[in-house]
Amino acid sequence: MTEDAVLDPPPGRPLWLWTLADLALLLIGFFVLVQATDRQALARGLREGFGGEAVDTATIPIPLAAAAASFAPGSAILLSPDTLVDFAISSLRDPRASLRVSGGAEGAGDVDPATGSADLLATDRARTVVAYLIGHGVSADRILIAPAGGGRRNALVTVSFTGDHNPGTKP
């Protein structure tokens, strides 16, 4: 049997029927994925099947709320930090929550004056916010500096649900 004979539909079966069968199989596969009971294992299997690295999804915090701190262009000096401490303290009343701080920079004109790097300025902004929060009574072990965000001249403080650190304790 030649390659051309395999690709030609048999007499009496139009080509659109093959396409319809392919579509039906894709739809069945989609519904199997939707109905999967262990979605974490399914996601892990798909990620590994496509050559991705294994990720422990249990350690990824779930974001709940956020507040932003503003900065002047090219500067890592806070402009209006008044509401950050109140936001942080009220958000951390739950012992299962933590803060993630990521800095940002707008790009071409918003860079670190000494190095010309937007990423370095974004990191300095995040560090400034973390130092400000720690200096105003927020516990350092409840704050994490996240990778720099992009596109805005601010630092984003996100409260995340990280869960119980000790599974034997009750909230």
Side-chain angles (χ1 to χ4, degrees):
M1 183 178 268
T2 66
E3 186 177 322
D4 291 337
V6 172
L7 296 177
D8 288 336
R13 294 188 183 146
L15 187 58
W16 65 264
L17 189 58
W18 283 25
T19 307
L20 182 64
D22 289 340
L23 181 63
L25 286 174
L26 285 171
L27 192 59
I28 288 171
F30 172 74
F31 285 125
V32 166
L33 291 177
V34 168
Q35 293 298 321
T37 55
D38 188 358
R39 293 193 176 149
Q40 298 296 330
L42 177 66
R44 189 171 39 256
L46 286 173
R47 190 176 301 111
E48 290 170 1
F50 285 102
E53 294 181 16
V55 175
D56 183 13
T57 55
T59 61
I60 299 173
I62 303 168
L64 301 174
S70 325
F71 295 89
S75 170
I77 298 172
L78 280 166
L79 292 180
S80 56
D82 305 331
T83 60
L84 282 179
V85 174
D86 293 335
F87 172 78
I89 290 174
S90 65
S91 298
L92 292 178
R93 284 190 183 131
D94 187 343
R96 301 170 295 169
S98 65
L99 296 177
R100 293 180 54 150
V101 181
S102 62
E106 282 182 331
D110 193 29
V111 295
D112 181 55
T115 63
S117 169
D119 289 336
L120 186 59
L121 179 62
T123 303
D124 284 344
R125 288 176 174 167
R127 291 177 54 222
T128 298
V129 170
V130 169
Y132 181 81
L133 292 173
I134 291 171
H136 285 81
V138 177
S139 176
D141 64 343
R142 308 271 308 270
I143 302 173
L144 170 75
I145 295 180
R152 300 213 172 154
R153 193 176 61 235
N154 65 10
L156 191 63
V157 180
T158 308
V159 61
S160 300
F161 177 76
T162 51
D164 290 328
H165 297 291
N166 186 358
T169 62
K170 293 185 179 180

